[in-house]
Amino acid sequence: MTIQIVPLGAGQDVGRSCILVTIGGKNIMLDCGMHMGFNDERRFPDFSYISKTGDFTEMLDCVIISHFHLDHCGALPFFTEMCGYDGNIYMTHPTKAICPILLEDYRKITVDKKGERNFFTSQDIKSCMKKVIAVNLHQTIMVDDDLEICAYYAGHVLGAAMFYIRVGEESLVYTGDYNMTPDRHLGSAWIDKVKPDVLITESTYATTIRDSKRSRERDFLKKVHDCVAGGGNVIIPVFALGRAQELCILIETYWDRMDLRVPIYFSAGLTEKANHFYRLFINWTNEKIKSTFVHRNMFDFKHIRAWDRAYIDNPGPMVVFATPGMLHSGTSLELFKKWAPDPKNMVIMPGFCVAGTIGSRVLAGEKHIKTDSFTTIDVNLQVKNLSFSAHADAKGIMQLIRQCDAKNVVLVHGEKSSMGFLKSRIMTEFGIPCFDPANGTTVSIETSHVIPIEMSASLLKQHLIRQTETQDPGMTTSSSPEHSSSDDNSEQSDIKTPAEIRPSDKVLIQGMLVMDDGKPIRLEDADEVLEKVGMANHKVRFEVRKAYNATALRRAVEDAESNELQQGSTSMDTDKDESQAGDLYQEWDSDRFALKLVHIALQRSIGKQIKVVRELEDDSIEIRSVKIRAPTDKDEFERGGLLVGWDYRDEDLATRVLSIVTLALSANR
Amino acid sequence: MRLTSLLPDGEPNCLVFKVRQMLIMLDCGLGQEQLYAMPVREGGLTEDHKDNSHNATTAGSTADNTTAGSKRKLQETDIRQDWASFLKASSSQFPTKKMARGSNSQTSHTSKTASATTETTSSGPTSTADGTIQGGNSNIPSKSMATREYMFKLPDFSGVDLKAIDVVLISNYNHILALPYLTEYTDFQGRIFATEPTIEFGRQLMIEFVTFFGTSVASSPHEIIDRKELVARAGAGLYPAYTHADIKACIDKIQPVRFREHISLFGSLKLTAHSAGYCLGSSNWLIQIGTENIAYVSSSSTQGNLHPDLFDGTLLENASTVVATDLCPRGSFTYNTGVNLVCQSIASTIARKGNVLIPCTISGFLFDLLEDVHLHLNRMGLIGQVQYSFISPVANTALQYSNILAEWMAPRKQEMVYIPEAPLLHGILLDKEKGIAKHYKSVHGAFSSDLKLPCIVFGGHPSLRSGPMVNLLHMWGNKPTNTIVFIEPRMDVVAAMEPYENLAIAQQAVQLDIRLSIDQLVEVMNKYRHPRHILVPMRAIASTLPDGTVELADVKRTISTSSTRWSAYKVGEPVQLGMGSLYESVLLSEELAKSILPQAFGSVSFAPIAGSLSIYNNQMQLKPASVQGRQLLSLYTQRLLLGVMNLPHLLSGLTAIGVTNMDVSESEGKESKEDKETGVPEIKVEFELHGQAATIILREKETIVKCDDTIRSLLREPILKCFQSF
Ligand SMILES: [Zn+2]
């Protein structure tokens, strides 16, 4: 079986996440993002790749959105309302709640301010969101009879999720954006050991190993404090939700502690609403906030007030959180234009900006930025780059691969150059294949699949008992089932359960697979099966004569005996053996002696794995149906040798026994 | 499979379910009946004693105080002394309570008007006025009487090997109160699963329990309770309440799950919680062991218009066995039939400036009721005058916590957070600026100073044996304009009011019950594929027919059919549930699957297989064995020959390997002396090969080959060719 992965966006690139996956015959779109650095058709993924005729609903089994950032969900209204996709869309509750707000925000800037047409409308956003099915973490959703999805906590932003996708025995994990270290308001990403065939992970910070969170925070606060102390204004471009809340909590506590009076504003008017979302979705924040919310809600800020455009001419100093985060439009751009020329001021850039945005040019250190043919911004203010953005760094990515125990890794949502480094590191450290496909390039991954079968519980029990009986005590698997004996005699189905098998144990199983069309494949006891279907099991018994040289054997034994006498020890350790040893020279019975030798040899070689029974009366040996005996009737006696008989069903055992017997009876040991 | 209930019918759930070697405890509730036999204690006596800030606002309403003295403290002690004699009286046992209970449910059902409710106390054959006052109580040891310590009877753990319990599943907060005894006072070491809201509301209920009924003396229950004794005498012994530390330790042991989250354990046990529609996070459990599916249906509701997530019946789709518990008794009010009565009763009390007491826990359908009451009062124009008070040590937590659980609510409520708006109305009522609703830890302190009359007070404990309701009944109980409204379905109103029977307060019993009735259960079972076997509590059956089968107490008098068997379970009497499935689910690795050689026999194919079974990712997998394993396996390999021996076939086969002079003789199977095996007809083929004599004896079902070891391998081929071999 094959899993196919094609990035339509975010292949060797950041922004416009959209990955097409085919698994077990199901087509799934992972994220449906837009690229904020473009104003033309490159803004949206190339959906014509999925279908030239636009029958997206038939082509796709579902769309999964990982979180509310526009580079992950920005193209969704376009895809559903303008391209006509009408199938299932899944996202978490907070994503469903917040996503339309950001979409509407963006739409306003694009359409209302820039006057673009051919863009989705408010109504489009609303009808798009109506089609969304909200999911809970860890809840298994059956998209159809075969396709199952399950969300895991990803940190990053409120409601961000990683998705586990399974069809039959093939599985895949898509991370979206995630972070592996908890921050001030979110916990860290976590996933079960789901052992996916493929892990598709973001790699925004593929080469960075970020320094400690604490020192970055101290650094950030000091810069802000220094700037306002010197009379400068600080602009912090942010998205309304996510990183903004973390920085607000950080600054709020700092202002409180240092007793600062410098005003802090938050633009976009979203503050109240955004914080209300955080209050209602407090379950999605970290443990600390969750456990204290009843007494003090972290999202009720004292120092942070709503921004009003009129404040732009206030003398300052002030700190302004302004949206959007990449300086590509809106309040943040307006403030930046105004404050950029003054070196007293400061802009604190997020760790990453999409190529093509003003933010990315500021980060690149450009001093004169032409925003359009009429305007050039002189960038004199201090530019500080703080990678607060909650993405996993290389260490975090490695950690997640280990946590879920992936068999293959596909890197997306990262710069090509840095992905290469991570890729080779993953391959050497885990010894698993790793891919970084470009947009429109297909990666095919072969999966070895397993077949679900039903195994007879009595067959398992039979083998468990066998293993317990024959193995060394140290290797035995079952704990003593204390509660089985006393209170459960009445129960017929008193079968050992796998609860008694430890994960490290291995139980050797033999049986018969029964394959009947339309019924589950079953593993049964072979005899029972054949009996059930009424098929005669014919018994074939072999009995062969095993000749040996009695004289040579006797001589060899005498030599050995004398050796043993000198050493003062005996290899035959039972009393009976010793008492008989005295008689040996008077009444030499070569057959009996041969049997004794054979018995010792068998005990030594296979006695630990299988029960070797010795009949005291005639010294004959039995191992299951294999029987080794001395001649009994005249005919046999005349021919000489030992007789070895067995049922053909034990042919393999008999072959092994015969070779041991041969060795034991050969005189020149 | 075997099921044993450890608590009587009508009490919270606590069952032990054994399937194969797995021991699963279904819920761990604490019997509530016993509370009625206990003395009354004022709420918050232990902690809030020091808080004397009771101020004058209460004076006017404490009508039963003969003198409205100015020294509150003195007065309180006086009251307490009065109360002490009262306590003695109330600590008596109620021998005829069961009967009273039965008549009560009928009474409350027929009493649709406020005036009719006064019958509730006087009705029923119980007359406790004279005889029982001196009687004392045989059930409670005298020592505990002296210290006025509450002692509790636990579920009957005596027959259960607690150490062997693998898993405990909790369905909702009503069935969790005995869990700290299990985890902190016994050698239990299994795992516990519950949904997040169940854990939180369960924790809150435990805290209420400890606050109301906890030990008032300094000694720790750990010093009093002997573990061994607890296990051995759990059926009969009495134990003090656990502590706050126990609650924390117990809660920390519970693993939170979400609906439809798959949990795999021990390689063959799978557990999944499904929404039960009863309260936030209430769940029914699908237990899959091997290929057997068992559904544990606990408190469930198919009532559509409430706030919890809807009943998810998909767990019944593949369930062969269903254990149904906590059904609604016949003749109860449904939410829809009772809610108007509650609203009217509250409204008319408020209209006459009376106060309303609603003994309840702050959870469950109360959140819906609040909305309905508020809307009703609003319609009646009474909203401006009324104040809601929630009094409980966990009131604030319960109210706030419930409103962040949108994901656990019905779709209608879920939508609210997208606005964004608090999904439950009390989020708005509690808004500090509006001040319509307030919450308090106890009646002491701010409650009295804030108090605006009239007032609707919600709080515990429904048994009226401890908690704020005791104080409030004391304050307001003598005024007939006030009303106490009973809404909790699990309580016994007559028994609860027994200590207060002389109080003039109006009573209204409208016990709303949203749980499945037996009729609804039958309906639900019919809707999904019929399970083979459904177990119900005793009270859900009307009669047992002579042949041992049961007739259900539903309208249609459902009985077992050939496809579906109904039976009943009773406390302490294990029910055997048949064999269960005899198969385990195993994953066969592709590598091993490729190595097998199937042979077709008609439509069925067979393939012998040998491999190594291990548990990987909580799933059993069969893979190729290691080299060492294969050596070991070869010792156990069983070869099979199918078919009948055919003489011409054999002879031509022997000829092919170079046998020439074959002597074939036939014997008729005469009675033999020594060897009974020769008694059957047989054909003997004797020949020589490479100078070695050999004999082949053919019988109907077996073939015996006697030869020298040196020619064995040569002879094998012509013989095997006669059969189909594996
Ligand atoms: Zn993101």
Side-chain angles (χ1 to χ4, degrees):
Chain A
M1 304 267 263
T2 316
I3 298 176
Q4 289 188 320
I5 296 151
V6 196
L8 299 188
Q12 303 180 351
D13 185 15
V14 178
R16 206 181 62 174
S17 278
C18 184
I19 297 141
L20 213 57
V21 165
T22 306
I23 175 169
K26 307 281 172 184
N27 296 323
I28 300 152
M29 183 189 280
L30 304 170
D31 278 335
C32 190
M34 73 157 102
H35 203 304
M36 281 173 291
F38 296 115
N39 290 329
D40 51 24
E41 79 285 345
R42 285 175 297 169
R43 179 161 53 199
F44 297 133
D46 181 10
F47 295 127
S48 68
Y49 188 96
I50 305 166
S51 162
K52 297 275 184 275
T53 51
D55 51 346
F56 300 115
T57 312
E58 288 94 277
M59 288 302 298
L60 292 180
D61 291 276
C62 72
V63 173
I64 294 171
I65 303 293
S66 65
H67 64 288
F68 61 62
H69 279 155
L70 294 180
D71 57 339
H72 293 262
C73 68
L76 193 61
F78 175 77
F79 188 51
T80 61
E81 306 311 305
M82 300 170 87
C83 299
Y85 173 71
D86 196 27
N88 290 336
I89 305 163
Y90 297 94
M91 55 178 82
T92 64
H93 286 275
T95 307
K96 185 179 176 184
I98 294 165
C99 174
I101 295 168
L102 295 187
L103 284 168
E104 179 59 24
D105 217 30
Y106 186 76
R107 191 198 65 81
K108 270 200 197 120
I109 291 164
T110 324
V111 179
D112 298 354
K113 288 205 177 137
K114 290 191 187 160
E116 272 188 52
R117 279 137 169 263
N118 193 21
F119 203 73
F120 48 78
T121 63
S122 288
Q123 189 51 49
D124 285 342
I125 298 174
K126 282 191 193 115
S127 27
C128 168
M129 295 318 291
K130 277 214 186 87
K131 296 172 186 165
V132 170
I133 302 164
V135 305
N136 287 342
L137 291 177
H138 300 189
Q139 172 189 17
T140 302
I141 309 271
M142 299 304 295
V143 175
D144 58 34
D145 285 348
D146 309 308
L147 173 58
E148 131 188 350
I149 63 172
C150 180
Y152 286 94
Y153 193 76
H156 186 58
V157 289
L158 195 72
M162 309 190 277
F163 280 86
Y164 169 71
I165 298 157
R166 190 171 79 101
V167 181
E169 299 305 325
E170 288 181 292
S171 61
L172 175 148
V173 169
Y174 173 60
T175 65
D177 293 350
Y178 65 103
N179 67 320
M180 295 297 285
T181 44
D183 64 21
R184 274 176 191 271
H185 75 289
L186 296 171
S188 54
W190 182 85
I191 191 163
D192 277 314
K193 207 181 189 72
V194 291
K195 299 173 193 277
D197 291 308
V198 187
L199 170 73
I200 305 175
T201 174
E202 66 136 330
S203 49
T204 321
Y205 290 135
T207 49
T208 349
I209 305 272
R210 289 176 299 165
D211 47 356
S212 91
K213 188 96 184 158
R214 287 255 164 257
S215 71
R216 267 182 298 135
E217 285 174 0
R218 256 200 317 275
D219 195 35
F220 166 79
L221 292 166
K222 187 172 181 306
K223 279 172 186 165
V224 171
H225 194 173
D226 288 352
C227 180
V228 293
N233 295 320
V234 181
I235 171 173
I236 308 172
V238 288
F239 286 104
L241 291 135
R243 192 173 76 108
Q245 275 68 30
E246 189 188 357
L247 294 182
C248 285
I249 292 172
L250 195 61
I251 290 204
E252 166 99 0
T253 32
Y254 187 76
W255 251 234
D256 233 21
R257 204 176 60 214
M258 307 300 283
D259 199 22
L260 297 178
R261 299 271 174 260
V262 177
I264 310 166
Y265 299 106
F266 198 115
S267 85
L270 268 174
T271 345
E272 228 347 271
K273 213 173 177 187
N275 291 340
H276 199 43
F277 276 122
Y278 275 84
R279 281 191 287 263
L280 290 174
F281 287 117
I282 215 102
N283 265 329
W284 292 74
T285 60
N286 65 32
E287 281 306 318
K288 193 178 165 232
I289 295 184
K290 241 200 265 190
S291 59
T292 56
F293 91 98
V294 171
H295 307 290
R296 155 142 177 65
N297 197 313
M298 286 285 251
F299 300 102
D300 292 331
F301 299 117
K302 282 186 293 181
H303 296 275
I304 301 165
R305 274 161 284 167
W307 171 254
D308 189 306
R309 266 188 95 182
Y311 299 163
I312 197 164
D313 294 319
N314 284 6
M318 58 178 126
V319 177
V320 184
F321 287 93
T323 55
M326 296 181 190
L327 291 177
H328 51 284
S329 58
T331 312
S332 64
L333 183 57
E334 195 182 349
L335 278 170
F336 181 75
K337 279 183 186 165
K338 169 108 176 152
W339 291 346
D342 187 344
K344 272 215 307 278
N345 296 335
M346 180 186 283
V347 61
I348 296 188
M349 296 300 297
F352 177 81
C353 281
V354 168
T357 58
I358 292 173
S360 72
R361 295 165 70 184
V362 173
L363 275 180
E366 288 186 35
K367 287 297 165 202
H368 304 282
I369 299 171
K370 227 177 150 185
T371 53
D372 53 57
S373 40
F374 311 105
T375 328
T376 304
I377 309 171
D378 291 318
V379 183
N380 298 323
L381 86 177
Q382 311 159 57
V383 177
K384 302 291 174 194
N385 175 2
L386 265 176
S387 62
F388 255 119
S389 184
H391 287 278
D393 58 9
K395 200 173 135 206
I397 294 169
M398 304 296 273
Q399 206 181 323
L400 187 82
I401 297 171
R402 197 169 297 119
Q403 199 176 84
C404 70
D405 201 0
K407 292 178 194 135
N408 293 277
V409 177
V410 173
L411 301 176
V412 295
H413 201 276
E415 305 289 354
K416 184 173 170 36
S417 52
S418 50
M419 281 193 333
F421 171 74
L422 181 64
K423 189 174 148 182
S424 59
R425 224 187 116 184
I426 290 169
M427 294 202 283
T428 49
E429 197 154 308
F430 295 104
I432 54 173
C434 183
F435 309 86
D436 55 344
N439 285 341
T441 318
T442 307
V443 174
S444 295
I445 291 161
E446 286 299 320
T447 58
S448 83
H449 67 277
V450 287
I451 301 145
I453 60 168
E454 293 183 355
M455 174 177 178
S456 151
S458 61
L459 182 72
L460 175 59
K461 183 185 183 183
Q462 204 178 298
H463 283 87
L464 276 170
I465 293 170
R466 183 174 92 187
Q467 193 132 332
T468 320
E469 278 175 352
T470 54
Q471 274 185 349
D472 297 336
M475 285 171 69
T476 47
T477 55
S478 64
S479 59
S480 56
E482 288 163 42
H483 51 102
S484 68
S485 49
S486 55
D487 65 337
D488 206 27
N489 296 332
S490 53
E491 203 160 334
Q492 279 182 293
S493 62
D494 188 13
I495 287 163
K496 283 200 182 199
T497 65
E500 292 156 35
I501 313 174
R502 304 277 152 65
S504 56
D505 290 334
K506 285 190 169 27
V507 183
L508 296 168
I509 300 283
Q510 276 157 323
M512 184 72 88
L513 276 186
V514 183
M515 289 157 280
D516 195 351
D517 275 348
K519 289 187 194 154
I521 299 175
R522 284 188 161 166
L523 177 52
E524 311 258 18
D525 181 80
D527 288 328
E528 278 174 28
V529 169
L530 298 175
E531 204 170 303
K532 244 186 260 175
V533 296
M535 244 169 316
N537 182 8
H538 194 91
K539 192 170 151 192
V540 174
R541 190 163 175 89
F542 284 92
E543 189 161 62
V544 303
R545 188 179 72 96
K546 194 81 198 166
Y548 66 94
N549 186 331
T551 330
L553 191 67
R554 178 165 185 173
R555 201 176 303 126
V557 169
E558 278 169 2
D559 290 350
E561 288 284 324
S562 63
N563 272 343
E564 274 162 22
L565 283 174
Q566 279 162 17
Q567 285 164 14
S569 72
T570 170
S571 64
M572 297 166 197
D573 37 16
T574 67
D575 290 343
K576 183 174 174 281
D577 285 337
E578 274 177 47
S579 66
Q580 279 198 349
D583 305 338
L584 271 176
Y585 300 96
Q586 280 82 44
E587 291 173 39
W588 172 254
D589 181 338
S590 65
D591 287 338
R592 285 218 158 189
F593 196 78
L595 279 173
K596 205 170 283 181
L597 285 178
V598 166
H599 181 245
I600 291 162
L602 286 171
Q603 272 298 10
R604 274 197 195 131
S605 51
I606 56 172
K608 271 187 184 152
Q609 290 131 22
I610 195 161
K611 219 170 175 180
V612 180
V613 183
R614 189 174 172 209
E615 210 51 65
L616 292 179
E617 195 185 321
D618 59 355
D619 277 344
S620 70
I621 302 161
E622 265 182 75
I623 309 168
R624 279 218 307 275
S625 73
V626 181
K627 187 166 182 176
I628 309 168
R629 63 180 175 94
T632 47
D633 61 31
K634 186 169 157 280
D635 228 25
E636 290 168 350
F637 205 77
E638 271 170 13
R639 285 204 199 103
L642 294 181
L643 289 150
V644 184
W646 68 92
D647 285 351
Y648 174 73
R649 52 188 297 117
D650 284 329
E651 175 80 7
D652 299 73
L653 174 65
T655 310
R656 182 82 186 276
V657 168
L658 279 171
S659 69
I660 296 165
V661 170
T662 311
L663 210 66
L665 297 182
S666 68
N668 46 354
R669 280 177 302 166
Chain B
M1 290 194 284
R2 198 181 57 201
L3 182 79
T4 316
S5 177
L6 308 184
L7 280 176
D9 205 358
E11 292 279 28
N13 295 342
C14 187
L15 304 106
V16 172
F17 184 65
K18 174 153 193 172
V19 51
R20 309 234 189 120
Q21 219 75 334
M22 219 72 83
L23 199 56
I24 301 170
M25 182 175 268
L26 306 173
D27 280 321
C28 196
L30 187 68
Q32 298 291 299
E33 291 268 323
Q34 52 184 325
L35 290 173
Y36 302 116
M38 293 186 180
V40 175
R41 174 160 92 187
E42 289 191 62
L45 269 188
T46 46
E47 270 297 313
D48 299 298
H49 205 164
K50 39 193 181 271
D51 185 8
N52 292 321
S53 62
H54 252 222
N55 62 29
T57 32
T58 50
S61 48
T62 48
D64 59 338
N65 289 340
T66 42
T67 52
S70 55
K71 298 223 169 188
R72 301 299 312 170
K73 196 174 178 185
L74 188 76
Q75 200 185 345
E76 259 182 41
T77 13
D78 289 342
I79 295 164
R80 246 172 233 148
Q81 272 165 7
D82 289 348
W83 221 239
S85 59
F86 189 76
L87 292 176
K88 256 190 188 166
S90 61
S91 65
S92 51
Q93 220 180 357
F94 308 115
T96 47
K97 203 173 64 203
K98 284 282 172 203
M99 282 160 69
R101 203 167 185 195
S103 69
N104 162 47
S105 73
Q106 277 165 5
T107 315
S108 58
H109 189 51
T110 48
S111 63
K112 301 278 179 189
T113 61
S115 63
T117 55
T118 44
E119 288 173 25
T120 317
T121 37
S122 55
S123 75
T126 329
S127 75
T128 49
D130 320 308
T132 44
I133 288 180
Q134 289 95 357
N137 190 354
S138 55
N139 199 20
I140 293 171
S142 54
K143 184 188 153 207
S144 77
M145 274 295 283
T147 57
R148 222 168 284 140
E149 204 64 30
Y150 288 109
M151 300 291 271
F152 297 91
K153 198 174 161 191
L154 308 187
D156 188 1
F157 291 145
S158 51
V160 188
D161 181 358
L162 299 178
K163 199 181 174 188
I165 293 174
D166 296 291
V167 175
V168 179
L169 304 176
I170 305 291
S171 58
N172 65 66
Y173 65 89
N174 287 297
H175 312 292
I176 200 173
L177 271 187
L179 192 62
Y181 289 113
L182 180 70
T183 62
E184 306 312 309
Y185 295 90
T186 73
D187 53 1
F188 166 81
Q189 48 185 224
R191 302 176 66 173
I192 312 161
F193 296 94
T195 61
E196 286 170 25
T198 300
I199 298 173
E200 177 56 28
F201 285 115
R203 188 186 67 86
Q204 292 171 14
L205 200 71
M206 290 175 190
I207 287 178
E208 272 202 343
F209 171 70
V210 169
T211 313
F212 294 159
F213 301 105
T215 144
S216 61
V217 289
S219 64
S220 150
H222 284 273
E223 289 160 21
I224 304 165
I225 299 177
D226 175 0
R227 286 174 185 242
K228 287 192 194 103
E229 190 217 47
L230 185 147
V231 178
R233 296 190 50 227
L238 290 171
Y239 303 93
Y242 39 81
T243 66
H244 284 281
D246 293 335
I247 295 174
K248 185 170 186 325
C250 169
I251 290 294
D252 285 347
K253 293 185 175 90
I254 310 176
Q255 186 176 328
V257 300
R258 292 179 172 86
F259 291 145
R260 299 204 182 198
E261 175 177 351
H262 293 312
I263 300 151
S264 297
L265 292 172
F266 318 125
S268 79
L269 181 65
K270 288 199 177 66
L271 304 166
T272 320
H274 287 253
S275 176
Y278 172 77
C279 64
L280 289 170
S282 66
S283 43
N284 294 324
W285 288 88
L286 181 62
I287 302 161
Q288 294 171 283
I289 181 156
T291 53
E292 181 83 19
N293 294 343
I294 302 122
Y296 171 48
V297 177
S298 181
S299 328
S300 300
S301 178
T302 49
Q303 172 104 33
N305 55 349
L306 303 176
H307 71 283
D309 199 353
L310 306 178
F311 176 79
D312 175 4
T314 54
L315 86 159
L316 298 168
E317 275 170 6
N318 297 309
S320 54
T321 305
V322 175
V323 179
T325 64
D326 205 26
L327 298 171
C328 159
R330 280 197 79 76
S332 308
F333 285 100
T334 66
Y335 185 84
N336 288 350
T337 55
V339 68
N340 287 335
L341 222 52
V342 175
C343 289
Q344 282 158 21
S345 173
I346 292 173
S348 57
T349 309
I350 298 296
R352 61 175 188 250
K353 306 281 180 220
N355 299 313
V356 183
L357 297 181
I358 302 183
C360 61
T361 54
I362 299 170
S363 50
F365 66 81
L366 177 68
F367 299 136
D368 297 294
L369 187 67
L370 275 174
E371 295 187 4
D372 288 323
V373 167
H374 191 70
L375 290 175
H376 185 77
L377 294 179
N378 200 18
R379 268 198 303 274
M380 306 294 285
L382 293 164
I383 212 69
Q385 319 167 19
V386 72
Q387 187 187 319
Y388 303 98
S389 296
F390 299 90
I391 310 178
S392 158
V394 295
N396 187 22
T397 316
L399 291 167
Q400 289 213 46
Y401 181 75
S402 55
N403 242 328
I404 64 160
L405 295 175
E407 290 142 86
W408 301 89
M409 294 184 194
R412 176 177 63 93
K413 289 289 180 193
Q414 265 179 24
E415 296 290 323
M416 304 278 288
V417 293
Y418 302 139
I419 300 176
E421 204 70 76
L424 300 174
L425 181 75
H426 63 252
I428 296 159
L429 299 182
L430 282 165
D431 195 307
K432 285 192 187 76
E433 281 138 49
K434 298 201 181 81
I436 303 168
K438 297 212 162 121
H439 55 80
Y440 306 93
K441 281 215 179 319
S442 74
V443 288
H444 306 291
F447 170 66
S448 358
S449 54
D450 284 1
L451 197 60
K452 278 191 289 178
L453 301 175
C455 180
I456 305 173
V457 185
F458 300 89
H461 185 275
S463 69
L464 304 182
R465 290 302 182 271
S466 182
M469 282 300 153
V470 175
N471 304 56
L472 293 170
L473 272 172
H474 183 43
M475 265 164 61
W476 296 337
N478 266 10
K479 260 202 177 168
T481 46
N482 296 333
T483 308
I484 183 164
V485 184
F486 297 95
I487 57 165
E488 289 274 352
R490 289 181 176 79
M491 64 178 295
D492 181 339
V493 174
V494 175
M497 283 304 284
E498 207 102 24
Y500 309 93
E501 63 171 348
N502 297 320
L503 297 184
I505 190 167
Q507 296 174 36
Q508 172 91 40
V510 191
Q511 291 166 275
L512 303 177
D513 207 332
I514 62 172
R515 292 173 289 179
L516 290 182
S517 65
I518 182 66
D519 290 278
Q520 284 173 315
L521 181 75
V522 171
E523 206 175 296
V524 167
M525 292 301 157
N526 287 341
K527 189 168 158 193
Y528 294 95
R529 212 181 300 168
H530 277 289
R532 282 203 315 268
H533 191 183
I534 305 161
L535 286 119
V536 293
M538 269 322 252
R539 72 169 168 195
I541 64 165
S543 60
T544 306
L545 303 178
D547 61 347
T549 61
V550 299
E551 184 187 54
L552 297 186
D554 64 331
V555 175
K556 289 182 227 143
R557 298 282 148 159
T558 303
I559 53 162
S560 302
T561 63
S562 55
S563 59
T564 310
R565 188 156 77 91
W566 292 83
S567 54
Y569 61 84
K570 207 157 125 192
V571 59
E573 291 180 12
V575 184
Q576 294 290 342
L577 304 177
M579 297 278 282
S581 162
L582 300 173
Y583 290 91
E584 303 278 358
S585 337
V586 172
L587 292 179
L588 177 62
S589 86
E590 192 177 24
E591 203 185 344
L592 184 57
K594 275 179 181 161
S595 71
I596 64 165
L597 299 165
Q599 292 185 41
F601 292 87
S603 66
V604 191
S605 299
F606 298 106
I609 190 165
S612 149
L613 187 78
S614 57
I615 292 182
Y616 183 72
N617 209 11
N618 270 322
Q619 167 73 53
M620 280 192 278
Q621 300 208 351
L622 191 59
K623 293 177 178 175
S626 61
V627 178
Q628 212 188 350
R630 275 201 293 273
Q631 267 180 11
L632 188 55
L633 276 173
S634 74
L635 295 180
Y636 286 95
T637 304
Q638 300 279 286
R639 298 195 176 205
L640 294 170
L641 294 174
L642 299 180
V644 183
M645 187 43 137
N646 177 311
L647 184 63
H649 240 110
L650 175 69
L651 295 181
S652 69
L654 289 173
T655 315
I657 59 163
V659 177
T660 44
N661 285 319
M662 284 176 277
D663 180 10
V664 181
S665 60
E666 223 166 310
S667 74
E668 273 306 317
K670 57 210 175 238
E671 279 305 315
S672 167
K673 323 103 224 168
E674 316 112 275
D675 198 351
K676 56 179 185 271
E677 281 204 355
T678 53
V680 293
E682 59 178 40
I683 301 168
K684 205 183 230 175
V685 184
E686 285 167 294
F687 55 91
E688 264 188 24
L689 182 64
H690 298 299
Q692 297 286 350
T695 314
I696 300 177
I697 300 164
L698 309 185
R699 292 182 190 147
E700 195 195 345
K701 281 184 177 163
E702 66 176 341
T703 302
I704 300 162
V705 183
K706 292 185 177 180
C707 65
D708 190 85
D709 185 36
T710 50
I711 58 164
R712 166 181 76 105
S713 52
L714 287 171
L715 285 180
R716 191 167 52 189
E717 278 316 300
I719 293 165
L720 296 192
K721 265 186 193 159
C722 303
F723 304 96
Q724 191 155 15
S725 64
F726 284 107

